[in-house]
Amino acid sequence: MFPYQPQVHQYPYSNNQLMPHGYYNSPYSDGGWLWQQNTWASDESYRMHPQQRLCFVLVHGSWADAHFWDGIAEVLRRNGHVVYTPEYAGHGSDPNKNVTHAMITKSVVDFITKQDLCDIILVGHSFGGTVIQKVSEQVSDRIKRLVFWDAFVLKDGESLSDELPPQTKQAFEQLRASSKDDTIMLPFPLFRDLFVNTASLEEAESIYSGVAPEPAKPLFEKLNLKVFYALPTPKSYVYFYQDGVLPQGEGFGWNPHMSIRLGLFRLIVGDGDHMTDSRTRPAMVAQKLYEAGRD
Amino acid sequence: MFPYQPQVHQYPYSNNQLMPHGYYNSPYSDGGWLWQQNTWASDESYRMHPQQRLCFVLVHGSWADAHFWDGIAEVLRRNGHVVYTPEYAGHGSDPNKNVTHAMITKSVVDFITKQDLCDIILVGHSFGGTVIQKVSEQVSDRIKRLVFWDAFVLKDGESLSDELPPQTKQAFEQLRASSKDDTIMLPFPLFRDLFVNTASLEEAESIYSGVAPEPAKPLFEKLNLKVFYALPTPKSYVYFYQDGVLPQGEGFGWNPHMSIRLGLFRLIVGDGDHMTDSRTRPAMVAQKLYEAGRD
Amino acid sequence: MFPYQPQVHQYPYSNNQLMPHGYYNSPYSDGGWLWQQNTWASDESYRMHPQQRLCFVLVHGSWADAHFWDGIAEVLRRNGHVVYTPEYAGHGSDPNKNVTHAMITKSVVDFITKQDLCDIILVGHSFGGTVIQKVSEQVSDRIKRLVFWDAFVLKDGESLSDELPPQTKQAFEQLRASSKDDTIMLPFPLFRDLFVNTASLEEAESIYSGVAPEPAKPLFEKLNLKVFYALPTPKSYVYFYQDGVLPQGEGFGWNPHMSIRLGLFRLIVGDGDHMTDSRTRPAMVAQKLYEAGRD
């Protein structure tokens, strides 16, 4: 049966008056739209129409840093969007790997508030889903829509590791135990088969060369998400059907297993895996994120 | 485990003599085929071979009327098929919204019998699945194959609302309660995110402009389907994997949750959502319906 | 919950030293690679890069013989790979239909050992999945990677028929009972709708013309697979999402229902059905098998 019902009533659609500000702007109203022209991505014969201008804040996942978004952000900017890719604690150039989920959340919240960003399309990839769940609890008035892309949507009280199938959970626990600084480093064969399964070996090695040990603690922290499950913020889920990190069924997976926790959400499906396409087909990913984020 | 086993024995395939008349005609027998030539759809580079001539009866779903099929029917006719798109009670120009499922079924049955149609490929979309389930009970001798396209296949004794996930069911019940004439009108944000999730905002608004309040009663009526589950009529299921109206798993969904109730059926999968493609890619939909309906 | 946990500990990824020989060779090490050039498949505009040279052993399924692989093997050879397509007992020109699963396994094992094949990408399609499960138990040191393509991955102690949904199992049992030599012959309508659902009628008839009665016994034999579930051999699963032989969910199916039994595996997804594409799109299938088999 339906595996999870948030305790807090959530029904954002019954009444237009209850819609968060900016949820739905007519394209014919003044100021709501800026059309971007003559700058279409030409690297893929993807369907490209003039795009509503959006403000994206892109939050990466584990074993990645803000450069994960480089190609995708470039395409989005070329299409007229404003794009931010905040780095968070324990990642990128931060030498301190001893971080908590709250520190990671604070990095993104501080970035958003210091830049005074509004009407954000807040995108989380993979572990980044748990980050935007917590970030949205603190700055919901600045968020126009949440977009989860093959991202964890945790239940109240869960940790990310609670959503891993037994083999993967066991692997992570063993790798964590063998670390000296409470991090998890993925061996290349595991990374190659689960995270970049559709890549060529050269592409897989190139992506792997940027992978750093991931702080383990935030993956095993139980999160209080009661506020999240009361937010009326519109939500989308982008699912790539070659993603091999989680099985899609048998009690696990991105979609529908975790996506349905969003309640009534917009689904966008693409042909991609967990990490390869951000490098090899950024225009495809950018288009899917746009489809997830637009009005 | 296997969630539903019709009580009535149904095994249409073990013996060719048990096949309904016309189920399988050799293309080399006289009269069985009419080839259509030089009229290929040129709007999409879809694989287009000469097509076996079929007689389609297309039954739309809720929040739609017979014009839902306009683009698809045009492509099918261009490819040599005979196409009917019957309107049913409570929809289109019918001012009476106080209708029952039996009245809707009668509209389609009467259309088929008055026109004396035979060897029909009877297609139901969405709620239309429940309609062709009931229609086929009355005119099974006129039907060559049933095609369900992201359509409800109800168990004996079920109502459509029994197949909705809790959030959607709750939304429908609230919308119904707030109506003065026992109809359900979808707010645009809900329609946009669930029914036309892959559309541009302009396409979504254009489609929404044709949406009328839907009579609520037929969506909550329990249907007796014992006769349906005894029919040996061949069946196909067309599933579009970006359809966001129902989650595909966790005890819900078009395929396989409801499709497997058809027993041994032909599966056809496409990249589309619930309503957008009928407007934006009618040739793609027409091709999928042809693949589902041909011998 | 997770439906199946092999009793034998299996975790091939935590330590590179535990990787089977040849699992991961750097492309920059001498001898590990042979580049094939100027022989790209031109029949499909598929993404084609120079391919790492692999040695494929392709094991067909039921209602097929080694010619099932003709088109696919031709494309793979054109791309520089070495390809073997062993025939097994009870199939092809073997007049004896009274065979056991062990006899079938022995055919493939003998083929591999007599030819002294090493570093094999061992591919099983459909029933062939059960064959490569048993073959790998005997010649694991010769196998570089196992690739299951819409193939059965049985639990220890299961038979193939245990994985069939009730309607299909009932059909197979009835067809077996009506046979004089303990074989199962698929009626054309069943074959057409379940095995070659996306084919044109002409393609379906052409493929069906090569279908022979299948020895029934091996489909109902319980297999001891304890050794298989202790093998650290890397594994891939290729899933075609229009495959209609099994429902994908509700406790049945190729992926993830059976694929997850492989533990940590590489997933590759394609748009195809169970048998059509081997005939109509061999280059697409060959590409997917290459993506599943490469380092």
Side-chain angles (χ1 to χ4, degrees), chain B residues 215-228:
Chain B
K217 207 183 312 173
L219 309 183
F220 291 85
E221 277 183 71
K222 308 278 189 188
L223 300 185
N224 181 325
L225 289 160
K226 290 182 182 63
V227 174
F228 172 79

Side-chain angles (χ1 to χ4, degrees), chain C residues 161-223:
Chain C
S161 67
D162 291 335
E163 289 293 339
L164 300 177
Q167 295 99 319
T168 311
K169 191 172 186 178
Q170 183 186 27
F172 281 20
E173 288 171 342
Q174 289 184 13
L175 292 165
R176 184 185 190 185
S178 68
S179 153
K180 292 175 180 172
D181 58 353
D182 200 26
T183 61
I184 296 174
M185 183 58 192
L186 300 177
F188 177 76
L190 184 151
F191 179 80
R192 194 271 178 279
D193 276 2
L194 269 67
F195 287 68
V196 290
N197 38 309
T198 69
S200 71
L201 179 60
E202 296 78 3
E203 292 163 351
E205 290 180 320
S206 169
I207 297 171
Y208 187 70
S209 69
V211 172
E214 177 72 16
K217 207 183 312 173
L219 309 183
F220 291 84
E221 277 184 73
K222 307 280 189 187
L223 300 184

Side-chain angles (χ1 to χ4, degrees), chain A residues 43-44 46 67-73 75 125 149-150 191 194-200 203-204 207 238-244 269-289, chain C residues 47 267 288 291 294:
Chain A
D43 51 355
E44 285 195 56
Y46 224 74
H67 291 293
F68 175 81
W69 298 109
D70 284 355
I72 296 163
V75 175
H125 178 246
W149 167 33
D150 285 4
F191 180 79
L194 269 65
F195 287 68
V196 290
N197 39 310
T198 70
S200 71
E203 291 161 353
I207 298 171
V238 177
Y239 166 58
F240 279 7
Y241 61 67
Q242 297 210 66
D243 193 310
V269 179
D271 170 14
D273 69 18
H274 199 64
M275 281 195 173
T276 302
D277 309 275
S278 67
R279 188 72 67 90
T280 60
R281 301 193 291 169
M284 183 277 285
V285 180
Q287 176 67 19
K288 292 294 182 182
L289 295 182
Chain C
R47 44 174 168 152
L267 175 68
K288 293 293 181 182
E291 293 180 7
R294 65 184 168 190

Side-chain angles (χ1 to χ4, degrees), chain B residues 4 8-9 15 31-32 35 39 56 70 77 89 100 110 115 117 128 131 136 148 189 192 202 205 221 234 266 279:
Chain B
Y4 182 61
V8 185
H9 178 72
N15 190 323
W35 295 101
T39 55
F56 285 96
D70 285 354
R77 290 188 185 113
T100 64
D110 288 351
Q115 305 249 6
L117 304 181
V131 180
S136 64
F148 296 79
R192 194 271 179 276
E202 296 78 1
E205 290 180 321
E221 277 183 71
R266 186 190 303 173
R279 187 72 68 92

Side-chain angles (χ1 to χ4, degrees), chain B residues 4 12 31 46 50 54 78 118 134 159 166 169 187 192 194 202 228 242 252 284 287:
Chain B
Y4 182 61
Y46 225 74
L54 298 171
R78 216 188 303 152
C118 292
K134 290 303 294 180
S159 72
K169 192 171 184 177
R192 194 271 179 276
L194 270 64
E202 296 78 1
F228 172 79
Q242 297 208 67
F252 293 93
M284 183 277 282
Q287 175 67 18

Side-chain angles (χ1 to χ4, degrees), chain B residues 2-3 13 24 257 267 269 294, chain C residues 193 197 199 205 242 250 252:
Chain B
F2 221 62
Y13 290 110
Y24 171 56
H257 176 66
L267 175 69
V269 180
R294 65 184 168 188
Chain C
D193 276 2
N197 38 309
E205 290 180 320
Q242 297 209 67
E250 307 277 320
F252 293 93

